[in-house]
């Protein structure tokens, strides 16, 4: 009886090329994931720097009785940076509910933010306006204002870089081609192995298919690092760390606990 079969040579050649393409795509996906992680690491450092600068470089005028007002402004500035962090996380994950920002911002500002298309940027704009008002009142020395503005600019650059990763996926045509070649290769593979491995053909094909489809899925998982899949960046945990660190600096005691992994996954 006739049965279709092919020599292993075409599958060897195609398999090598497919492995190279999958490796290239996974490297690109991992680079995006790792760049996102570095950006959020920079966010941790920049928020800490801005909080420190707000608490040390903002002060009352000599001889003025403004210590309570300045203390309130310092606290407000620090909490606004916490709000920025949470707003950036929600924006990158396309979450429209911003009610949690009410813990850090006035209710009227949270309501206004609902109409904003870029909420993290709107928060930094409000923070900058408060810095300018403090400068006009003499609470920030002219030498210190560029330092605070530098931290604000760094926050904007981090936000912009994260938005670039989110809005620029790996070209769809490239991803689709990889999916189709992988599926076609694994479907035809038994015809090239049956004469060589006989009854072990199903087992060998399962192993090869698992390897290729697994590599394909890894690339998909890492391509968009800001989502909520198990392999995405733990933005909730990083945001919680920033919140706890900064709120401690302004004397808060009712702090939320650090997030812990659930089933070995940190969200």
């Amino acid at each position: 009886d006739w049965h279709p079969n092919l020599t292993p040579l075409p599958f060897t050649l195609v398999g090598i090329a497919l492995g190279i393409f999958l490796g290239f795509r996974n490297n690109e996906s991992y680079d995006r994931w790792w760049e996102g992680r570095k950006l959020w690491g920079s966010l941790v450092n920049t928020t800490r720097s801005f909080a420190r600068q707000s608490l040390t470089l903002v002060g009352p005028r000599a001889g003025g009785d403004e210590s309570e007002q300045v203390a309130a402004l310092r606290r407000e500035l620090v909490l606004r940076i916490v709000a920025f962090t949470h707003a950036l996380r929600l924006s990158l994950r396309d979450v429209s509910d911003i009610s949690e920002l009410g813990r850090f911002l006035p209710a009227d500002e949270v309501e206004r933010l609902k109409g904003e298309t870029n909420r993290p940027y709107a928060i930094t704009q409000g923070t900058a306006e408060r810095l300018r008002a403090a400068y006009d009142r003499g609470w920030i020395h002219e030498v210190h204002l560029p330092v605070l503005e530098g931290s604000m600019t760094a926050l904007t650059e981090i936000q912009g870089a994260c938005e670039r990763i989110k809005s620029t996926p790996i070209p769809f045509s490239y991803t689709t081609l990889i999916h189709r070649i992988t599926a076609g290769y694994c479907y035809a593979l038994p015809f090239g192995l049956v004469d060589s491995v006989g009854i072990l053909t199903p087992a060998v094909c399962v192993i090869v298919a698992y390897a290729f489809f697994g590599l394909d899925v890894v690339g998909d998982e890492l391509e968009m690092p800001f989502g909520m899949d198990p392999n995405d960046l733990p933005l909730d945990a990083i945001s919680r760390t920033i919140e706890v660190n900064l709120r401690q600096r302004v004397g808060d005691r009712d702090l939320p606990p650090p997030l812990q992994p659930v089933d070995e996954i940190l969200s």
Side-chain angles (χ1 to χ4, degrees), residues 3 13 22 46 57 123 137-138 164 186 245 255 259 265:
H3 65 277
L13 297 176
L22 284 171
T46 304
L57 301 182
I123 293 173
R137 298 187 66 173
R164 169 176 51 78
C186 293
N245 290 169
L255 301 173
L259 292 179
I265 297 174

Side-chain angles (χ1 to χ4, degrees), residues 43-57:
L43 181 64
V44 172
N45 296 337
T46 304
T47 54
R48 290 171 178 171
S49 295
F50 183 83
R52 184 188 69 251
Q53 293 160 3
S54 299
L55 296 174
T56 56
L57 301 182

Side-chain angles (χ1 to χ4, degrees), residues 160-199:
C162 290
E163 291 172 343
R164 169 176 51 78
I165 294 174
K166 178 188 174 185
S167 62
T168 313
I170 293 175
F172 179 75
S173 57
Y174 184 85
T175 300
T176 301
L177 181 63
I178 291 294
H179 290 340
R180 291 175 179 175
I181 293 176
T182 302
Y185 178 87
C186 293
Y187 175 78
L189 184 60
F191 301 116
L193 296 181
V194 63
D195 285 345
S196 301
V197 297
I199 62 173

Side-chain angles (χ1 to χ4, degrees), residues 185-227:
Y185 178 87
C186 293
Y187 175 78
L189 184 60
F191 301 116
L193 296 181
V194 63
D195 285 345
S196 301
V197 297
I199 62 173
L200 294 179
T201 298
V204 173
C205 289
V206 167
I207 295 173
V208 175
Y210 178 81
F212 279 124
F213 280 118
L215 289 172
D216 195 20
V217 170
V218 167
D220 286 339
E221 285 283 320
L222 297 180
E223 179 181 353
M224 286 298 180
F226 303 125

Side-chain angles (χ1 to χ4, degrees), residues 44 47-48 51 75 78-79 81-83 85-86 103-104 236-260:
V44 172
T47 54
R48 290 171 178 171
R75 176 179 174 80
V78 171
L79 293 184
I81 296 304
V82 177
T85 300
H86 287 296
R103 296 185 293 130
F104 315 107
D236 289 335
I238 299 174
S239 299
R240 177 68 62 84
T241 297
I242 292 174
E243 176 185 343
V244 171
N245 290 169
L246 269 58
R247 288 180 59 193
Q248 279 185 326
R249 300 280 60 78
V250 293
D252 285 356
R253 293 292 179 264
D254 56 333
L255 301 173
L259 292 179
Q260 300 298 324

